[in-house]
Amino acid sequence: ELSCQFVKVRSDCNSVRTRLKKDHKEDRGRKSASLHGTILRLAKQFAEVKFAYVPRRKNHIAHSLARKAARELTPQTNSLLAAHDSET
């Protein structure tokens, strides 16, 4: 059991933040095996969850750490990150 009852999930992608917030509120998407589904499953463990937008220029250290961790998780993540990089 978690002793913390509040969590703030921050993202530098506003569309992702908006979708997470909506799916969490409507109790959807938790069964997905994706990172999105994992976030929603974990969010359910807290009494209060806020999804906040943070501009990438203010989030560069966290962004770099998250990308490094994602690369270490699975080869599939690497292809998703490469596709995202080509869009930005």
Side-chain angles (χ1 to χ4, degrees), residues 9-72:
V9 179
R10 296 179 181 182
S11 176
D12 58 13
C13 182
N14 202 36
S15 62
V16 169
R17 180 202 62 87
T18 302
R19 181 68 187 262
L20 283 166
K21 183 177 178 179
K22 181 178 180 183
D23 287 350
H24 179 68
K25 183 178 181 181
E26 296 175 0
D27 199 27
R28 296 187 322 195
R30 288 184 290 132
K31 293 182 181 179
S32 171
S34 68
L35 179 58
H36 185 89
T38 302
I39 292 168
L40 292 170
R41 282 191 299 280
L42 290 171
K44 278 295 189 191
Q45 298 179 23
F46 294 90
E48 184 178 357
V49 179
K50 298 224 178 189
F51 296 94
Y53 173 72
V54 178
R56 187 171 294 179
R57 70 182 181 279
K58 293 185 177 182
N59 194 36
H60 67 279
I61 294 173
H63 183 78
S64 296
L65 289 171
R67 289 178 63 76
K68 182 179 180 189
R71 280 191 184 97
E72 293 174 6

